[in-house]
Amino acid sequence: TTNDINPYFKEEKRDAWRKRIADAHTGLFEPLSDKYETIAMPGVTGGANFGNTAADPERGLVYVTAQEFPSVLKLKLDTRGSDSRVISADQLVRAKSAYVLYCQACHGVNREGMALIPAVTNLNTRLSYDNFVLLIGVGKGQMPGFPHIDERTLSDLYAYCGGVVGNRTAGPNGQQPRNRPSAMATTNSFTGPIVATGGALGTNQPPYSSARNALRGYPEGVTGPTNRYSTGYGLENPDLLQPPWSIIAAYDLNKGTLKWRKPLGQDPSIPYQGGTRTGVPNGSQRKGMIVTSTGLLFASCKDGKIYAYDSENGEVLWSFELPRHPEGLLSMYEVNGRQYLEVCSMDFVINKAKPPAYPPAYIVFSLPEKKAIPR
């Protein structure tokens, strides 16, 4: 409801969202439309979908990271397929939003790149659209993959970075175009029926045609629709709700109750209000969490820090700012009676004005060694 709008917004922005929410459709299984916006809560990437869990089997506790912000969705006529770099105003807004969310921290505000990170202008001279889609989907080197970005946003983002959307030829180094990894089955490796009875014959065509993105799966003699409508994930407004936007929730499985719920991280652009943390949009996405038998819960966050919580009450006991963003799960091990925490610090640089102290690396922490008590 309008009562959930971020209280940190300026009044003008709050008024604009009050109108949008009033005009939008909400509710279970609300169909999408090109006539109005639909707001889904939680958003289409979760909840807890993009976080992880930790468990204390001795105490019967489980800890879950989650993100809490909605998706604002509206169908748009899919006009891709022209070999022009000119994109509409709507496409430009969508492309810029995606660039800020996924690319800007590493490739720079003006797409000019940074030290050891290439510029992303004139992509058409270096990457075909197919190779671009593959790169975004699975990642490469220090760059993580973003397989959840929808096809329309990918197309707009490619055009925004100087690509020609209709270009699906091999790149300058002779790379052959490849189809985007997808849950949608392709039939490239089959020459006969896919199933024993009634299956479609194999084909070397991808699920969508190269330029027009028209479905290939219609039976012979059946023409697909002239117009195709689609929508992105609607995640362009991760701070729309009042914070926290990313949390850790502790559940007591012995009682079936919520034990505590605390923000995960702190958005540096939002000041503390009465000592309350805001959490970070997407703060738990592809991060890690691990709990010890001695009452410590370690969690990494998209704000570039690793935190130690009191696993009993969620109080933050310690934090450390990594030179690069953490990525993936945490690990713990013991050597000679001393316990170590290992963090993968390999994602983009936290403070672009200050060179990182370390290259992409595994960083290991430990408690201080116990000193002998003098007698």
Side-chain angles (χ1 to χ4, degrees), residues 15-77:
D15 286 341
W17 273 108
R18 288 188 185 102
K19 184 179 188 309
R20 287 180 68 174
I21 292 173
D23 293 340
H25 288 214
T26 60
L28 291 174
F29 312 116
E30 184 65 40
L32 304 183
S33 172
D34 63 335
K35 308 299 182 187
Y36 53 79
E37 290 181 323
T38 299
I39 300 179
M41 181 64 199
V44 296
T45 58
N49 295 14
F50 278 78
N52 70 99
T53 62
D56 183 340
E58 296 297 325
R59 301 173 61 209
L61 300 176
V62 64
Y63 304 88
V64 180
T65 59
Q67 53 195 29
E68 293 197 345
F69 51 87
S71 288
V72 182
L73 307 163
K74 187 176 182 180
L75 291 177
K76 299 284 187 180
L77 179 64

Side-chain angles (χ1 to χ4, degrees), residues 65-122:
T65 59
Q67 53 195 29
E68 293 197 345
F69 51 87
S71 288
V72 182
L73 307 163
K74 187 176 182 180
L75 291 177
K76 299 284 187 180
L77 179 64
D78 196 332
T79 57
R80 287 176 299 165
S82 81
D83 289 338
S84 171
R85 298 189 186 200
V86 179
I87 58 178
S88 69
D90 285 346
Q91 290 173 312
L92 185 61
V93 169
R94 189 164 52 246
K96 285 185 175 180
S97 297
Y99 183 84
V100 170
L101 190 60
Y102 303 113
C103 314
Q104 180 173 297
C106 291
H107 294 283
V109 175
N110 298 316
R111 297 160 286 172
E112 75 283 3
M114 293 185 287
L116 303 180
I117 299 176
V120 286
T121 54
N122 297 322

Side-chain angles (χ1 to χ4, degrees), residues 111-169:
R111 297 160 286 172
E112 75 283 3
M114 293 185 287
L116 303 180
I117 299 176
V120 286
T121 54
N122 297 322
L123 277 188
N124 196 56
T125 63
R126 296 162 24 217
L127 279 177
S128 70
Y129 178 66
D130 288 297
N131 285 327
F132 171 78
V133 168
L134 179 67
L135 177 66
I136 296 296
V138 301
K140 181 180 180 181
Q142 298 178 34
M143 174 181 164
F146 301 97
H148 64 282
I149 301 180
D150 64 281
E151 294 281 353
R152 187 179 67 169
T153 301
L154 281 170
S155 176
D156 297 338
L157 187 58
Y158 184 65
Y160 178 62
C161 293
V164 175
V165 177
N167 171 30
R168 303 176 82 96
T169 58

Side-chain angles (χ1 to χ4, degrees), residues 192 238 252 336:
D252 187 334
N336 297 327

Side-chain angles (χ1 to χ4, degrees), residues 230-271:
S230 61
T231 180
Y233 275 44
L235 303 178
E236 294 84 3
N237 306 283
D239 60 344
L240 175 56
L241 298 184
Q242 56 185 339
W245 306 300
S246 186
I247 64 161
I248 296 178
Y251 294 93
D252 187 334
L253 302 188
N254 305 294
K255 302 176 182 178
T257 57
L258 176 64
K259 187 175 180 65
W260 53 261
R261 178 182 181 275
K262 298 290 185 177
L264 174 59
Q266 171 67 23
D267 189 323
S269 66
I270 301 294

